[in-house]
Amino acid sequence: MANPRVFVSSTCFDLFDIRDSLDSFIRSYNFEPILSDKGDVFYGPDLHTHDACIKEVESCQLFILIIGGRFGGEYYLDKKQNSSDVKSITNREYETARKNNIPVFTFIKRNLLENHNIYINNSKNNPDIKNIHYPAVDKQEYSEAIFQFIDAVRHSSENNAFFAFDYSKEIQELLGKQWAGMFYDFLIERQKRIDAQNINDLLGSLAIAQQKTEDLVKEILSNQPGVEAKSLIETTDKEAEAKRFFKDIISFFYLSSDSVKLLVHSLNDALVPDNWYDFLDQSPLFEL
């Protein structure tokens, strides 16, 4: 039986205790935790360690992102290419999870969020924003990059929820609730699929039964002496076609009851058209 793989993405040194507690918590759900500092990432001999982590993300089904006051290691390709937008390996792991549509659960240190609010309030009108000291950030030169990372999560068009935390226990409680919600959605969607299949099966059975009934009626009429069976069958078929036609037109154009009466009245007064398009064209409600 395959178990969901859960990638835990964060800086390691400052969040070691939290990562360690999450390893046990994830295993308590019989999920497979993937933490780089626990040796869960396969560092292929032909890959940079950063790329090995990113490759591991692609094989996971859940992604836990923890943002603290450390920037962590700069993604090696950004440094190698002298990019003006150097991001952390944690940020690149997050982007990989989003690219692969992996559900992300984001947790941000509470004091860092408080510093982020200071950054937001001063980023537009304060030319000396780079001189502001943020106590929750380990190295001040990375403060803006960390806050921009938080903004990237917040401003995402979907899966942009995040939670503030002080202790690992809070993360575990919140994850438990979120995973319970995912399981609930799975059960509801499963029931919807079952109900839809039952309805389709029922409609299919009704269609078969209706066809059998029509065939039986035609067979009976064909064997009745003195009855113009062929003419009667053709008339019955046309009446059924007309009912289906009116039902479709009323449904598609959202016609009111007065409009329906007008449509039927025009049919009674008009000569029998060669086709339904001609009939609609004769009605005052439509024009070709």
Side-chain angles (χ1 to χ4, degrees):
M1 180 176 64
N3 296 338
R5 306 180 81 238
V6 186
F7 193 97
V8 180
S9 179
S10 74
T11 52
C12 294
F13 296 107
D14 58 326
L15 299 172
F16 174 80
D17 291 340
I18 290 176
R19 292 173 63 87
D20 190 56
S21 66
L22 279 177
D23 181 67
S24 302
F25 174 77
I26 293 169
R27 292 184 189 279
S28 71
Y29 276 78
N30 287 320
F31 295 170
E32 181 183 354
I34 306 298
L35 296 96
S36 59
D37 51 326
K38 297 286 186 181
D40 300 322
V41 173
F42 170 62
Y43 295 106
D46 299 322
L47 291 175
H48 190 282
T49 54
H50 290 179
D51 290 332
C53 289
I54 289 175
K55 184 176 179 62
E56 201 73 46
V57 171
E58 296 172 351
S59 66
C60 292
Q61 288 73 50
L62 297 172
F63 186 93
I64 298 174
L65 172 64
I66 307 173
I67 303 178
R70 286 178 61 89
F71 180 81
E74 296 179 346
Y75 182 52
Y76 81 103
L77 282 182
D78 291 342
K79 293 173 61 177
K80 186 176 181 180
Q81 298 169 358
N82 294 319
S83 173
S84 59
D85 183 26
V86 177
K87 295 185 178 180
S88 67
I89 177 58
T90 302
N91 198 327
R92 294 303 184 190
E93 289 169 350
Y94 164 75
E95 291 177 348
T96 301
R98 291 301 312 276
K99 180 180 178 181
N100 287 272
N101 296 315
I102 299 172
V104 177
F105 303 90
T106 303
F107 301 90
I108 305 174
K109 287 282 287 185
R110 195 179 307 277
N111 60 348
L112 182 63
L113 275 177
E114 293 171 353
N115 284 193
H116 176 261
N117 287 332
I118 296 175
Y119 169 79
I120 292 297
N121 293 332
N122 289 273
S123 59
K124 294 181 179 180
N125 302 319
N126 190 345
D128 298 325
I129 186 172
K130 292 185 177 181
N131 297 325
I132 298 177
H133 180 79
Y134 301 99
V137 178
D138 182 56
K139 294 182 178 181
Q140 297 300 304
E141 63 266 29
Y142 287 121
S143 58
E144 188 169 8
I146 293 175
F147 294 144
Q148 288 176 352
F149 185 14
I150 294 175
D151 286 337
V153 175
R154 293 191 316 129
H155 296 155
S156 177
S157 60
E158 59 185 15
N159 200 180
N160 60 341
F162 62 90
F163 303 94
F165 77 96
D166 289 311
Y167 307 104
S168 60
K169 181 180 178 181
E170 296 173 277
I171 296 179
Q172 295 177 21
E173 291 176 349
L174 289 165
L175 277 176
K177 292 179 180 179
Q178 293 300 308
W179 288 352
M182 289 188 70
F183 187 57
Y184 177 81
D185 282 348
F186 164 77
L187 294 176
I188 293 297
E189 290 301 319
R190 178 178 181 272
Q191 188 60 50
K192 287 180 179 179
R193 289 196 298 270
I194 293 174
D195 292 342
Q197 185 59 51
N198 289 338
I199 291 174
N200 289 335
D201 292 343
L202 177 60
L203 291 175
S205 299
L206 290 174
I208 293 173
Q210 180 182 5
Q211 185 62 50
K212 288 182 177 180
T213 302
E214 291 178 356
D215 294 342
L216 179 60
V217 170
K218 291 179 180 178
E219 182 65 24
I220 292 174
L221 290 175
S222 299
N223 294 325
Q224 289 295 321
V227 176
E228 295 182 2
K230 184 177 180 180
S231 175
L232 184 57
I233 290 173
E234 290 179 353
T235 300
T236 303
D237 287 342
K238 288 182 179 180
E239 288 177 351
E241 180 186 354
K243 290 178 181 178
R244 286 194 296 269
F245 169 76
F246 276 103
K247 180 180 178 181
D248 290 343
I249 290 296
I250 291 170
S251 174
F252 186 82
F253 292 103
Y254 302 101
L255 297 181
S256 65
S257 57
D258 291 337
S259 298
V260 173
K261 292 178 182 179
L262 183 60
L263 193 62
V264 174
H265 182 72
S266 64
L267 176 64
N268 292 334
D269 292 343
L271 296 174
V272 178
D274 293 332
N275 56 62
W276 289 116
Y277 291 107
D278 290 339
F279 163 68
L280 290 178
D281 191 34
Q282 294 175 13
S283 167
L285 297 177
F286 298 91
E287 62 180 17
L288 291 178

